[in-house]
Amino acid sequence: MAVTEVTSAEAFNTSVKEGAPVAVHFWAAWCEPCKHMDVVFAQLAAENPHAKFLRVEAEEVPDLSETYSVSAVPFFLFFKDGKVVDRLEGANPPELSHKVALHVAARSPAVTAGGFAAAEVIESVLHSARTASYSTPPAATPATASSTDPNTQPEQPSRMIAPPAGSDKPKLSPDLKARIEALLASHPVLLFMKGSPSAPRCGFSSKVVSVLEKDLGSAASGAYGSFDILGDEEIRQGLKVYSDWPTFPQVYCKGELVGGCDIVLQMHESGELKELFVEKGVVGGGGSGAAAVASEAAGAGATGAGATVADGKVGGEKGLQERLQALVSKSPTMLFMKGTPEEPRCGFSRKVVDALRSEGIPFGSFDILADEEVRQGLKSLSNWPTYPQLYHKGELVGGCDIVLEMRANGELKAELAG
């Protein structure tokens, strides 16, 4: 069976739910390793006509990339009965062949990498990869490969800009980093998008433009700027490394990444996006500090997430209060964030994680995106309207700005050591 190109989440979801085993390759046009893996992927598809082999351009279907945590390409997913059963990150032809044999092929999974007719194709790809100019230091050898055989070493997944020798971390040139930081400093709120606010060139960019204009209100004309990443490939690829965020659009506030389309829309619906703009001084809040923002959010209306806090439901439920108190005291230092420390889902959460780790401070965490009751209830408990929130021995330390300021002043480690 030929490889099928998928261009929408709807088509993807239909394909993986139809019952046949499915292998998916998330790729990018700029990524050389993806081109080599395409050769192997196509050969494996030809050998397994009963199964489905799909290609998804990661940047063009960003909701799928975010759903399946695709942060680097090439990236492969394997489905059975509509559920993910395995994944593979990086250009590793023998391991890809092995996983296809294990999860997709009709024949016995005991047939391992190199046992297919695709073996010659795999060897050809490995030879090309070893001699290609984009080659990077080898990653850890997978369990199915020999640790002494250089032919079975996988390549690192590409992240747009080649890492320095001896490191797997991408690095921006000083000039490109300076360009990005100059752009971020140009407006309090900056949207990197496809197209322009008046003529968006993708649906996700259009949605983000709409909610920014709603939440910024009359301040939008002076506080909000945009940059068309389709007009500057260097910025487009470099920004992914700078932010460690693989898709667009991307929204920044005062130089800090807020998130992509899903996160911005979710923050808008919960009222957190406007609260963030008030807290950062981008729009007026009718008062000062977190208490003023909380008061504004509580009185904003009788519907939506804010009404749950305002109508006394959160404050009046003894069980929830006890749960919140138990959570903030679960670890001596506790971080309530969006995502996990390994996979933060907003730039502010990532900054706090990095600050704690750089100081060697152990901490527990809670993903507030996974529990709306805790997410809204904690705002009332702490009288602090935004996330992340850091607690020590059950007491609120503060949000991102406070934590970063304490770290810069040398106070963070001392404060959390007691």
Side-chain angles (χ1 to χ4, degrees):
M1 179 178 288
V3 177
T4 301
E5 194 73 33
V6 176
T7 58
S8 71
E10 293 76 13
F12 180 89
N13 292 332
T14 298
S15 294
V16 300
K17 290 178 180 178
E18 288 179 347
V22 181
V24 186
H25 177 199
F26 285 84
W27 64 284
W30 43 262
C31 177
E32 283 297 323
C34 286
K35 297 176 183 178
H36 289 279
M37 293 303 290
D38 267 337
V39 177
V40 179
F41 199 64
Q43 179 62 39
L44 292 169
E47 291 183 352
N48 295 277
H50 68 288
K52 293 182 180 180
F53 286 75
L54 311 178
R55 289 175 85 240
V56 178
E57 189 169 3
E59 289 181 309
E60 300 305 317
V61 196
D63 50 342
L64 286 179
S65 297
E66 291 186 8
T67 297
Y68 294 103
S69 301
V70 180
S71 59
V73 289
F75 185 90
F76 300 88
L77 289 174
F78 303 89
F79 289 80
K80 279 187 179 179
D81 299 321
K83 297 180 179 179
V84 176
V85 294
D86 205 350
R87 61 188 64 216
L88 172 65
E89 184 179 90
N92 186 354
E95 185 69 1
L96 174 61
S97 183
H98 172 72
K99 288 184 181 292
V100 167
L102 188 65
H103 303 298
V104 176
R107 65 194 76 191
S108 168
V111 181
T112 56
F116 295 101
E120 292 183 6
V121 174
I122 291 173
E123 175 55 34
S124 174
V125 169
L126 285 168
H127 174 74
S128 298
R130 289 194 297 272
T131 58
S133 60
Y134 62 79
S135 294
T136 60
T141 306
T144 56
S146 166
S147 61
T148 59
D149 183 358
N151 293 336
T152 58
Q153 296 287 349
E155 294 174 73
Q156 290 284 10
S158 173
R159 291 185 184 271
M160 288 68 75
I161 294 180
S167 170
D168 61 358
K169 186 176 181 179
K171 185 177 181 180
L172 295 175
S173 69
D175 288 346
L176 181 53
K177 184 179 180 182
R179 282 192 66 201
I180 291 173
E181 291 178 344
L183 285 170
L184 293 175
S186 66
H187 292 83
V189 177
L190 188 63
L191 169 63
F192 290 89
M193 63 180 292
K194 295 180 180 179
S196 66
S198 59
R201 293 185 61 186
C202 82
F204 303 104
S205 293
S206 179
K207 290 178 181 178
V208 172
V209 167
S210 178
V211 300
L212 286 178
E213 291 179 348
K214 288 178 182 177
D215 284 349
L216 287 169
S218 60
S221 60
Y224 155 52
S226 69
F227 185 91
D228 182 3
I229 52 97
L230 298 178
D232 193 318
E233 189 65 16
E234 185 180 45
I235 291 293
R236 179 179 183 173
Q237 303 305 336
L239 197 64
K240 298 174 187 178
V241 178
Y242 182 88
S243 64
D244 196 22
W245 198 268
T247 58
F248 290 95
Q250 295 181 12
V251 176
Y252 289 76
C253 181
K254 296 293 184 77
E256 298 286 346
L257 177 68
V258 177
C261 181
D262 285 351
I263 289 177
V264 170
L265 294 183
Q266 190 175 49
M267 292 178 68
H268 166 70
E269 291 169 0
S270 69
E272 287 184 86
L273 187 61
K274 189 170 184 178
E275 292 168 4
L276 173 66
F277 293 152
V278 174
E279 180 189 5
K280 296 294 183 181
V282 178
V283 298
S288 61
V293 181
S295 176
E296 178 187 274
T303 61
T308 302
V309 178
D311 64 16
K313 180 179 178 182
V314 172
E317 290 186 353
K318 182 178 179 181
L320 178 57
Q321 292 298 306
E322 291 176 350
R323 185 183 175 209
L324 293 174
Q325 290 291 351
L327 282 172
V328 299
S329 303
K330 186 175 180 180
S331 295
T333 300
M334 192 72 185
L335 175 63
F336 291 82
M337 62 181 293
K338 294 180 179 179
T340 65
E342 291 70 34
E343 295 184 2
R345 293 195 60 191
C346 83
F348 301 105
S349 293
R350 180 184 294 115
K351 289 283 188 181
V352 174
V353 168
D354 289 345
L356 293 172
R357 286 178 168 172
S358 69
E359 297 292 325
I361 299 169
F363 64 97
S365 68
F366 185 91
D367 181 4
I368 53 95
L369 297 178
D371 193 318
E372 189 65 16
E373 186 178 52
V374 170
R375 180 178 184 171
Q376 300 303 334
L378 200 61
K379 295 179 186 179
S380 179
L381 178 73
S382 64
N383 197 27
W384 196 271
T386 58
Y387 290 95
Q389 295 182 14
L390 184 67
Y391 289 77
H392 183 62
K393 294 186 176 179
E395 297 292 331
L396 177 68
V397 176
C400 181
D401 287 350
I402 290 176
V403 171
L404 296 184
E405 184 177 0
M406 291 175 66
R407 179 194 174 194
N409 294 338
E411 299 172 356
L412 185 61
K413 191 168 186 177
E415 179 73 19
L416 302 184

